[in-house]
Amino acid sequence: MTLPTKDQQTELEAAAFRRLVSHLRNRPEVQNIDLMNLAGFCRNCLSNWYLDAAKEKGLDLTKDESREIVYGMPYDEWKALHQREASTEQQQAFEKNRPKE
C-alpha cells in the first residue's frame, strides 16, 4: 500500500469534506437533530469546526459565514425552508445522547 503524501492527504480530506457538505445540502429533509441523535454531530457542528480551523489559520471568518459555507445559503433562510419542529421523542433522545464537552 502506498500512503499519500501530506499534500495528497490534504487534497483527499478537502475532497471528502466537499462531498460531505454537498451530500448534506442535497438532503435537507435530514434534520440536524436526527444527525445529532444518530452521529453526534450536525451541520452546525461542521460549520463550527470549519470556523475553528479558519481562526487557527488567522482568517477573519464569522459564524454566519461558516454556516453559509456549510448550508449553501444563509442559515436563517435554510431554517425557514427546511427545519421542522423537533418531536418530543427527538428532543428526549438528544438530551440523553448529547455530547458532553
Side-chain angles (χ1 to χ4, degrees):
M1 179 167 117
T2 304
L3 294 175
T5 66
K6 196 72 164 156
D7 286 344
Q8 289 170 326
Q9 181 179 347
T10 299
E11 290 174 16
L12 296 171
E13 290 167 349
F17 171 81
R18 288 189 298 270
R19 190 168 178 182
L20 173 60
V21 167
S22 175
H23 182 75
L24 292 172
R25 285 181 184 174
N26 289 317
R27 297 294 309 269
E29 74 280 5
V30 178
Q31 298 293 293
N32 281 335
I33 196 162
D34 296 325
L35 290 168
M36 286 298 295
N37 288 340
L38 179 65
F41 84 99
C42 68
R43 293 170 183 88
N44 289 337
C45 297
L46 195 57
S47 69
N48 290 339
W49 300 337
Y50 191 95
L51 180 60
D52 291 344
K55 289 186 187 285
E56 285 177 17
K57 295 291 184 183
L59 299 176
D60 189 25
L61 194 68
T62 68
K63 185 175 187 174
D64 288 338
E65 290 167 335
S66 69
R67 283 188 172 180
E68 189 165 341
I69 289 166
V70 169
Y71 284 91
M73 65 182 69
Y75 180 55
D76 288 338
E77 184 179 331
W78 188 92
K79 286 192 320 184
L81 289 171
H82 303 292
Q83 187 166 308
R84 298 184 315 266
E85 186 72 30
S87 70
T88 302
E89 294 80 18
Q90 288 171 314
Q91 291 173 357
Q92 288 172 343
F94 177 76
E95 289 304 321
K96 179 181 174 189
N97 299 315
R98 85 178 322 156
K100 313 294 188 257
E101 291 189 44

